[in-house]
Amino acid sequence: MFKSTLLLAALVQLSPGQADLDAQSSVASVTRARSVATAVEYSGVARQLSVPAPVMASPDISIDGRLDDLAWETAAILTGFSQYQPVEGTAASEETMVRMIVTDDALYFAIRAEDANGGPRATLTQRDGYGRSDDYVRVILDTFNDQRRAYVFMVNPYGIQGDGLWVEGGGGRFGDPIDWSPDFLWESYGRVDSAGFSAEIKIPLKTLRFPKADIQDWGLQIQRTIRRTGYESSWAPITQERANKLEQAGSLTGLRGLDAGLFMEINPTLVGSRTGESATDGSGLASDGGQGEVGMNLTYGLTSNLTLDGTVNPDFSQVEADAGQIAVNERFALFLPERRPFFLEGTDVFNMPKRLVYTRSIVNPVGAAKISGKIGALQVAYLGAVDEVNSGASNPVVNLMRVRGDVGSSSSIGAVYTDRTEPGVDFNRVMGADARFVLGGRYTLEMLAAGSADGAVGADTNWGSMFSMSARRSSRTLSMNASFEDSSDDFRAGSGFIRRVGVSQLNGRTSYTFRGKRGALVESWGPSIDADATWLREDFWAGGAPQETDFGAGLSASFRGNIGGFLNYGRRGFNFNSALYDGFFSGPSENAVVPVSEGSELYSGLHSLSLRSWISSFETVRISLGGGWNQTPIFSSGLPLDVGERWSGDLGFTFYPTGSIQAEIGARHVTILRGLDGSTYSQATIPRLQARYQVSRALYVRGIGEYSSQKRGDLLDPVTGEQVYTCSEQECSARLGSDRHDFRVEGLLGYEPSPGTVVFFGYTRQFRDTSAFSFDEVQAVRDGLFLKLSYRFRM
């Protein structure tokens, strides 16, 4: 704690003694405020969850984290937090008190988080970047009170911001369903002391979208996480016996005459860049001489609940490059998450049970516009873009439309339409409908049906269809889910991401969790069973056997000190029709080939074993590790041509040597051995280092280094060991391997006082190595230097 106090003193440019005085003042101000008769407390454990809006005309509050402003003495006080992880329903391990004030243009929150049993964990780090390392408190505002979508404003003990949108039904298997992509404009500051931390928050009404109504109620929830223990608590009690957490929130009532006023944001950008490419004569990198470009982003509040966004020549040069993925034995395309700000913010409405909208299909937009918001019970969104894919070719035009309506207290129905057309060349259109029903508070049923039409201009149109349905049971102990998916061979989602079509799939999962007492060595543990079967679509509807089966059994456990792990056993089987191999041959040469050996029996009864764990109990390091062994097919064009043994492992360390330095060191490795003779078919190793130094809340330096060594051998006949070829009537082509070893370094100096107002100066250089980690005759193949300036004007 002494180190944290010194760091805090340096950050705010105070002596250690003065920082202690400030901390004592914060604690004293809270104690003094408790004695004021006009302050009303609302206890969560006492179910005092309806808070009349504590209106104050013009409070004189400085957002400095001290909590000593007189206005806080008459604020509404939220107390009585209860824990919901890992033990549900008990009193919180540490006391939390949140004060709240509403004015005609903003909401104010004062947070006091006691922690005398070990001290809070805090780092001076990037926005949204401390969820796994730091303590934090979240303010959750359901401004439409529809229990489906809410704003999340999060601060760590230093007041570093994290924000996003809570979207019920939008999350994965783990964690809350929060989309951390949006960055809103609001104020916060925090201070750490020997007894915990204090923070203040100001959220302008211009930042929020809300109904146009004279009197309205909002959903309200406060959550706190203590990182060293993994304990999570909330003001309004939460139980996992209900599927919807927003439904369990409290409420802020009697908000009157809310008016965000004129809302417009103008965000001009200026970018200068220079790119170098490897010269054909081997003389080094040839520069393009440099270029400059001006872009513009515009946001306009059409109403208090409907927003128009536009962009011209958007620049994403500061966006961190995708982490390398191992791709030496992949059957299907790799999914890459969206990172570009314009496509991230406000597009959560496009989330559906299947990814019919994938904005990374818009590769290089010349310009784009979107409208999003909520009109009554309908949430609507439109995204249009002109995409410059190939220089000199016509630019595809993309139109994405989505509407979703509220049904009952937590359910919804929706429709989507996507159109990607390259004028005079081809087109792809998809229309779909989906529904999400929450039944009895515990059960969730999701359905989607879609059809596609695509083809070249002037040619016949190809028609396709897709249907999916899933059911899930939410519970503290017994959880179950099951799903079914069916798609035709001709289904195409040109603006989406669908890994596989022409199949029917069934899968299910059941898990049971045993809960221990808080602070026990084993706080929770439990087994799980899952099964999956995939048919060719025509075989499924004809009652045929599945093409693939997958069964798994797992055991998970969480230990005291935020330590956990998973152990899984799996058994897979493949049964491919021999007719699918008609184009595959093997032999000593392309002129002497015979059909590949039939070996379908090789692809049944394949076993796997994997382990994954994490350790977050240490103050300055977080460790994650995993590994596994499995018998796996060796694929070509999605078909298994051999069976091998796959050994994999990954290890990651995240270091926090000081409150302002963060370093991530990780490595992944995969080796696949041929079943034929035990020889190596492929090897891939990707080590990665990322370091960040946060000079201040706004100024930082980031560096990334990544090496990708991926080697794949020739495809060989699993019985004869001869070269495999794919043959047509004209010729045969050998299925040869590949050998590539690249590495890159990135450096970025960033100044970002608020979202959209930035100065970025960055450099990237890519290299090619002759063999794995030899660093012999390394050749630079590409580099880039850029400077970006932008400012976000709000009116």
Side-chain angles (χ1 to χ4, degrees), residues 22 25-30 32-34 36 56 58-75 99 101 108-111 189 191 199-202:
D22 288 334
S25 174
S26 296
V27 177
S29 66
V30 174
R32 182 176 68 252
R34 287 178 179 172
V36 178
M56 186 173 295
S58 54
D60 184 16
I61 297 177
S62 298
I63 306 301
D64 55 15
R66 289 191 171 91
L67 313 190
D68 55 359
D69 302 293
L70 292 177
W72 293 125
E73 297 185 0
T74 56
R99 295 172 179 268
I101 292 173
Y108 293 81
F109 295 88
I111 298 165
Y189 207 93
R191 294 175 183 270
E200 289 177 305
I201 294 173
K202 177 184 177 181

Short mmCIF file of all heavy atoms in Angstrom, two decimals, residues 22 25-30 32-34 36 56 58-75 99 101 108-111 189 191 199-202:
data_model
loop_
_atom_site.label_atom_id
_atom_site.label_comp_id
_atom_site.label_asym_id
_atom_site.label_seq_id
_atom_site.Cartn_x
_atom_site.Cartn_y
_atom_site.Cartn_z
N ASP A 22 -5.11 14.10 1.85
CA ASP A 22 -6.25 14.02 0.94
C ASP A 22 -7.06 12.75 1.21
O ASP A 22 -8.29 12.77 1.19
CB ASP A 22 -5.79 14.01 -0.51
CG ASP A 22 -5.28 15.39 -0.93
OD1 ASP A 22 -5.73 16.38 -0.33
OD2 ASP A 22 -4.45 15.44 -1.85
N SER A 25 -9.01 13.19 4.27
CA SER A 25 -10.12 14.09 4.02
C SER A 25 -11.27 13.37 3.35
O SER A 25 -12.45 13.60 3.65
CB SER A 25 -9.66 15.27 3.14
OG SER A 25 -10.75 16.08 2.78
N SER A 26 -10.95 12.45 2.40
CA SER A 26 -12.00 11.69 1.72
C SER A 26 -12.77 10.85 2.72
O SER A 26 -14.00 10.80 2.71
CB SER A 26 -11.39 10.80 0.65
OG SER A 26 -10.78 11.57 -0.35
N VAL A 27 -12.05 10.13 3.61
CA VAL A 27 -12.71 9.29 4.60
C VAL A 27 -13.53 10.12 5.56
O VAL A 27 -14.67 9.80 5.90
CB VAL A 27 -11.68 8.43 5.35
CG1 VAL A 27 -12.36 7.60 6.42
CG2 VAL A 27 -10.92 7.54 4.38
N ALA A 28 -12.96 11.27 5.98
CA ALA A 28 -13.66 12.13 6.92
C ALA A 28 -14.93 12.69 6.31
O ALA A 28 -15.96 12.82 6.98
CB ALA A 28 -12.75 13.26 7.38
N SER A 29 -14.88 13.04 5.01
CA SER A 29 -16.06 13.63 4.37
C SER A 29 -17.19 12.61 4.31
O SER A 29 -18.36 12.96 4.47
CB SER A 29 -15.72 14.11 2.96
OG SER A 29 -15.39 13.02 2.14
N VAL A 30 -16.85 11.32 4.08
CA VAL A 30 -17.89 10.30 4.06
C VAL A 30 -18.49 10.14 5.45
O VAL A 30 -19.70 10.04 5.62
CB VAL A 30 -17.31 8.96 3.57
CG1 VAL A 30 -18.34 7.85 3.71
CG2 VAL A 30 -16.86 9.09 2.14
N ARG A 32 -18.62 12.37 7.82
CA ARG A 32 -19.43 13.55 8.11
C ARG A 32 -20.76 13.49 7.41
O ARG A 32 -21.81 13.80 7.94
CB ARG A 32 -18.66 14.81 7.69
CG ARG A 32 -19.41 16.10 8.02
CD ARG A 32 -18.58 17.33 7.66
NE ARG A 32 -18.41 17.47 6.23
CZ ARG A 32 -17.27 17.25 5.59
NH1 ARG A 32 -16.20 16.86 6.25
NH2 ARG A 32 -17.19 17.40 4.28
N ALA A 33 -20.75 13.03 6.15
CA ALA A 33 -21.98 12.98 5.36
C ALA A 33 -22.99 12.00 5.94
O ALA A 33 -24.20 12.20 5.83
CB ALA A 33 -21.66 12.61 3.92
N ARG A 34 -22.51 10.95 6.58
CA ARG A 34 -23.43 9.96 7.13
C ARG A 34 -24.30 10.56 8.23
O ARG A 34 -25.39 10.07 8.51
CB ARG A 34 -22.65 8.77 7.70
CG ARG A 34 -22.05 7.87 6.64
CD ARG A 34 -21.27 6.76 7.29
NE ARG A 34 -20.72 5.86 6.28
CZ ARG A 34 -19.86 4.89 6.57
NH1 ARG A 34 -19.45 4.72 7.82
NH2 ARG A 34 -19.40 4.10 5.62
N VAL A 36 -25.56 13.56 8.26
CA VAL A 36 -26.48 14.58 7.80
C VAL A 36 -27.88 14.00 7.68
O VAL A 36 -28.09 12.99 7.02
CB VAL A 36 -26.02 15.15 6.44
CG1 VAL A 36 -27.02 16.19 5.94
CG2 VAL A 36 -24.65 15.77 6.60
N MET A 56 -30.64 18.12 -7.83
CA MET A 56 -29.99 19.30 -7.28
C MET A 56 -29.73 20.26 -8.43
O MET A 56 -29.25 19.86 -9.50
CB MET A 56 -28.68 18.93 -6.58
CG MET A 56 -28.01 20.08 -5.86
SD MET A 56 -26.56 19.55 -4.89
CE MET A 56 -27.36 18.49 -3.66
N SER A 58 -27.73 23.09 -9.08
CA SER A 58 -26.37 23.40 -9.56
C SER A 58 -25.35 23.06 -8.49
O SER A 58 -24.85 23.94 -7.79
CB SER A 58 -26.26 24.89 -9.94
OG SER A 58 -26.67 25.70 -8.86
N PRO A 59 -25.04 21.78 -8.34
CA PRO A 59 -24.07 21.37 -7.33
C PRO A 59 -22.67 21.85 -7.71
O PRO A 59 -22.30 21.83 -8.88
CB PRO A 59 -24.16 19.85 -7.34
CG PRO A 59 -24.60 19.53 -8.71
CD PRO A 59 -25.52 20.63 -9.13
N ASP A 60 -21.93 22.25 -6.73
CA ASP A 60 -20.54 22.66 -6.95
C ASP A 60 -19.64 21.48 -6.62
O ASP A 60 -19.18 21.32 -5.49
CB ASP A 60 -20.22 23.87 -6.07
CG ASP A 60 -18.81 24.41 -6.34
OD1 ASP A 60 -18.25 24.05 -7.39
OD2 ASP A 60 -18.29 25.17 -5.50
N ILE A 61 -19.42 20.63 -7.64
CA ILE A 61 -18.66 19.40 -7.43
C ILE A 61 -17.46 19.39 -8.35
O ILE A 61 -17.59 19.56 -9.56
CB ILE A 61 -19.54 18.15 -7.71
CG1 ILE A 61 -20.71 18.08 -6.73
CG2 ILE A 61 -18.69 16.87 -7.62
CD1 ILE A 61 -21.64 16.92 -6.98
N SER A 62 -16.30 19.20 -7.77
CA SER A 62 -15.07 19.03 -8.54
C SER A 62 -14.78 17.54 -8.65
O SER A 62 -14.74 16.83 -7.64
CB SER A 62 -13.90 19.74 -7.85
OG SER A 62 -14.13 21.13 -7.76
N ILE A 63 -14.60 17.07 -9.87
CA ILE A 63 -14.33 15.64 -10.08
C ILE A 63 -12.85 15.41 -9.82
O ILE A 63 -12.00 15.40 -10.73
CB ILE A 63 -14.73 15.22 -11.51
CG1 ILE A 63 -16.17 15.60 -11.80
CG2 ILE A 63 -14.53 13.72 -11.69
CD1 ILE A 63 -17.18 14.98 -10.85
N ASP A 64 -12.52 15.22 -8.52
CA ASP A 64 -11.13 15.04 -8.11
C ASP A 64 -10.93 13.83 -7.22
O ASP A 64 -9.81 13.59 -6.74
CB ASP A 64 -10.63 16.30 -7.40
CG ASP A 64 -11.52 16.71 -6.22
OD1 ASP A 64 -12.34 15.88 -5.78
OD2 ASP A 64 -11.39 17.85 -5.77
N GLY A 65 -12.00 13.08 -6.92
CA GLY A 65 -11.86 11.87 -6.12
C GLY A 65 -11.78 12.10 -4.63
O GLY A 65 -11.58 11.14 -3.88
N ARG A 66 -11.98 13.34 -4.15
CA ARG A 66 -11.83 13.62 -2.72
C ARG A 66 -13.12 13.44 -1.93
O ARG A 66 -13.09 13.27 -0.72
CB ARG A 66 -11.30 15.05 -2.53
CG ARG A 66 -9.85 15.22 -2.95
CD ARG A 66 -9.32 16.58 -2.49
NE ARG A 66 -7.89 16.68 -2.69
CZ ARG A 66 -7.32 17.15 -3.78
NH1 ARG A 66 -8.08 17.55 -4.81
NH2 ARG A 66 -6.00 17.21 -3.88
N LEU A 67 -14.27 13.55 -2.53
CA LEU A 67 -15.58 13.38 -1.89
C LEU A 67 -15.82 14.40 -0.77
O LEU A 67 -16.58 14.13 0.17
CB LEU A 67 -15.75 11.96 -1.30
CG LEU A 67 -15.37 10.76 -2.17
CD1 LEU A 67 -15.84 9.47 -1.52
CD2 LEU A 67 -15.91 10.87 -3.57
N ASP A 68 -15.21 15.58 -0.86
CA ASP A 68 -15.35 16.57 0.19
C ASP A 68 -16.26 17.74 -0.19
O ASP A 68 -16.36 18.72 0.55
CB ASP A 68 -13.98 17.10 0.61
CG ASP A 68 -13.19 17.66 -0.57
OD1 ASP A 68 -13.70 17.62 -1.71
OD2 ASP A 68 -12.05 18.12 -0.37
N ASP A 69 -16.94 17.64 -1.35
CA ASP A 69 -17.86 18.70 -1.75
C ASP A 69 -19.13 18.64 -0.92
O ASP A 69 -19.68 17.56 -0.65
CB ASP A 69 -18.20 18.56 -3.24
CG ASP A 69 -16.96 18.59 -4.12
OD1 ASP A 69 -16.31 19.64 -4.19
OD2 ASP A 69 -16.64 17.54 -4.71
N LEU A 70 -19.64 19.79 -0.52
CA LEU A 70 -20.81 19.84 0.35
C LEU A 70 -22.04 19.22 -0.30
O LEU A 70 -22.94 18.72 0.39
CB LEU A 70 -21.11 21.30 0.74
CG LEU A 70 -20.08 21.97 1.65
CD1 LEU A 70 -20.46 23.42 1.91
CD2 LEU A 70 -19.95 21.21 2.97
N ALA A 71 -22.11 19.24 -1.63
CA ALA A 71 -23.27 18.69 -2.32
C ALA A 71 -23.49 17.22 -1.99
O ALA A 71 -24.64 16.75 -1.97
CB ALA A 71 -23.12 18.87 -3.82
N TRP A 72 -22.43 16.48 -1.70
CA TRP A 72 -22.57 15.05 -1.43
C TRP A 72 -23.33 14.79 -0.13
O TRP A 72 -23.83 13.68 0.10
CB TRP A 72 -21.21 14.37 -1.38
CG TRP A 72 -20.48 14.32 -2.69
CD1 TRP A 72 -19.23 14.77 -2.94
CD2 TRP A 72 -20.97 13.78 -3.92
NE1 TRP A 72 -18.88 14.56 -4.25
CE2 TRP A 72 -19.94 13.95 -4.88
CE3 TRP A 72 -22.16 13.19 -4.31
CZ2 TRP A 72 -20.09 13.53 -6.20
CZ3 TRP A 72 -22.31 12.78 -5.63
CH2 TRP A 72 -21.29 12.95 -6.55
N GLU A 73 -23.42 15.79 0.75
CA GLU A 73 -24.09 15.58 2.03
C GLU A 73 -25.59 15.42 1.89
O GLU A 73 -26.25 14.91 2.80
CB GLU A 73 -23.77 16.74 2.98
CG GLU A 73 -22.29 16.86 3.32
CD GLU A 73 -22.01 17.93 4.35
OE1 GLU A 73 -22.98 18.58 4.79
OE2 GLU A 73 -20.84 18.11 4.72
N THR A 74 -26.17 15.83 0.77
CA THR A 74 -27.62 15.68 0.55
C THR A 74 -27.93 14.71 -0.58
O THR A 74 -29.06 14.67 -1.07
CB THR A 74 -28.25 17.05 0.25
OG1 THR A 74 -27.59 17.65 -0.87
CG2 THR A 74 -28.13 17.98 1.46
N ALA A 75 -26.93 13.94 -1.01
CA ALA A 75 -27.13 12.98 -2.10
C ALA A 75 -27.83 11.74 -1.60
O ALA A 75 -27.83 11.42 -0.41
CB ALA A 75 -25.78 12.62 -2.70
N ARG A 99 -22.85 7.48 -3.59
CA ARG A 99 -23.76 8.63 -3.50
C ARG A 99 -24.10 9.10 -4.92
O ARG A 99 -23.28 9.01 -5.83
CB ARG A 99 -23.11 9.77 -2.72
CG ARG A 99 -22.87 9.40 -1.26
CD ARG A 99 -22.04 10.45 -0.52
NE ARG A 99 -21.88 10.05 0.86
CZ ARG A 99 -22.69 10.42 1.86
NH1 ARG A 99 -23.71 11.23 1.60
NH2 ARG A 99 -22.49 10.02 3.09
N ILE A 101 -26.33 12.11 -7.42
CA ILE A 101 -27.03 13.38 -7.61
C ILE A 101 -27.41 13.50 -9.08
O ILE A 101 -26.64 13.11 -9.96
CB ILE A 101 -26.14 14.58 -7.20
CG1 ILE A 101 -25.92 14.59 -5.69
CG2 ILE A 101 -26.74 15.90 -7.66
CD1 ILE A 101 -24.92 15.63 -5.23
N TYR A 108 -24.18 12.56 -11.29
CA TYR A 108 -22.93 12.52 -10.53
C TYR A 108 -22.98 11.32 -9.58
O TYR A 108 -24.02 11.03 -8.97
CB TYR A 108 -22.76 13.79 -9.70
CG TYR A 108 -22.54 15.06 -10.50
CD1 TYR A 108 -23.60 15.74 -11.07
CD2 TYR A 108 -21.25 15.58 -10.66
CE1 TYR A 108 -23.40 16.90 -11.79
CE2 TYR A 108 -21.04 16.76 -11.38
CZ TYR A 108 -22.13 17.41 -11.94
OH TYR A 108 -21.93 18.57 -12.64
N PHE A 109 -21.83 10.65 -9.43
CA PHE A 109 -21.70 9.54 -8.50
C PHE A 109 -20.42 9.71 -7.70
O PHE A 109 -19.37 10.07 -8.26
CB PHE A 109 -21.66 8.21 -9.24
CG PHE A 109 -22.93 7.86 -9.97
CD1 PHE A 109 -23.14 8.29 -11.27
CD2 PHE A 109 -23.91 7.12 -9.34
CE1 PHE A 109 -24.30 7.99 -11.94
CE2 PHE A 109 -25.09 6.81 -10.01
CZ PHE A 109 -25.29 7.25 -11.31
N ALA A 110 -20.51 9.46 -6.39
CA ALA A 110 -19.35 9.43 -5.51
C ALA A 110 -19.24 8.03 -4.92
O ALA A 110 -20.21 7.53 -4.34
CB ALA A 110 -19.48 10.47 -4.40
N ILE A 111 -18.09 7.40 -5.09
CA ILE A 111 -17.90 6.01 -4.69
C ILE A 111 -16.89 5.96 -3.54
O ILE A 111 -15.80 6.53 -3.65
CB ILE A 111 -17.39 5.17 -5.87
CG1 ILE A 111 -18.42 5.17 -7.01
CG2 ILE A 111 -17.05 3.75 -5.44
CD1 ILE A 111 -17.86 4.68 -8.33
N TYR A 189 -12.40 10.50 -11.66
CA TYR A 189 -11.11 10.59 -10.99
C TYR A 189 -11.17 9.73 -9.73
O TYR A 189 -12.24 9.60 -9.11
CB TYR A 189 -10.75 12.03 -10.61
CG TYR A 189 -9.26 12.25 -10.53
CD1 TYR A 189 -8.55 12.73 -11.63
CD2 TYR A 189 -8.55 11.96 -9.37
CE1 TYR A 189 -7.18 12.91 -11.57
CE2 TYR A 189 -7.18 12.14 -9.30
CZ TYR A 189 -6.49 12.61 -10.40
OH TYR A 189 -5.13 12.79 -10.35
N ARG A 191 -8.85 8.08 -6.10
CA ARG A 191 -7.71 8.18 -5.18
C ARG A 191 -7.67 6.96 -4.27
O ARG A 191 -8.70 6.51 -3.79
CB ARG A 191 -7.79 9.45 -4.34
CG ARG A 191 -7.65 10.73 -5.15
CD ARG A 191 -7.86 11.98 -4.29
NE ARG A 191 -7.79 13.19 -5.11
CZ ARG A 191 -6.67 13.87 -5.35
NH1 ARG A 191 -5.53 13.46 -4.82
NH2 ARG A 191 -6.68 14.94 -6.11
N ALA A 199 -13.74 7.50 -5.54
CA ALA A 199 -13.81 7.93 -6.94
C ALA A 199 -15.05 8.78 -7.15
O ALA A 199 -16.07 8.62 -6.47
CB ALA A 199 -13.84 6.72 -7.87
N GLU A 200 -14.95 9.70 -8.11
CA GLU A 200 -16.07 10.54 -8.49
C GLU A 200 -16.30 10.41 -10.00
O GLU A 200 -15.34 10.29 -10.78
CB GLU A 200 -15.83 11.99 -8.12
CG GLU A 200 -15.89 12.24 -6.61
CD GLU A 200 -15.59 13.69 -6.25
OE1 GLU A 200 -14.52 14.18 -6.66
OE2 GLU A 200 -16.42 14.32 -5.56
N ILE A 201 -17.58 10.46 -10.40
CA ILE A 201 -17.96 10.29 -11.80
C ILE A 201 -18.99 11.35 -12.16
O ILE A 201 -19.91 11.63 -11.39
CB ILE A 201 -18.57 8.89 -12.03
CG1 ILE A 201 -17.53 7.79 -11.82
CG2 ILE A 201 -19.18 8.77 -13.41
CD1 ILE A 201 -18.11 6.39 -11.88
N LYS A 202 -18.84 11.92 -13.36
CA LYS A 202 -19.84 12.81 -13.93
C LYS A 202 -20.19 12.30 -15.32
O LYS A 202 -19.33 12.18 -16.18
CB LYS A 202 -19.32 14.25 -14.02
CG LYS A 202 -20.32 15.21 -14.67
CD LYS A 202 -19.75 16.62 -14.85
CE LYS A 202 -20.74 17.53 -15.56
NZ LYS A 202 -20.18 18.90 -15.76
#
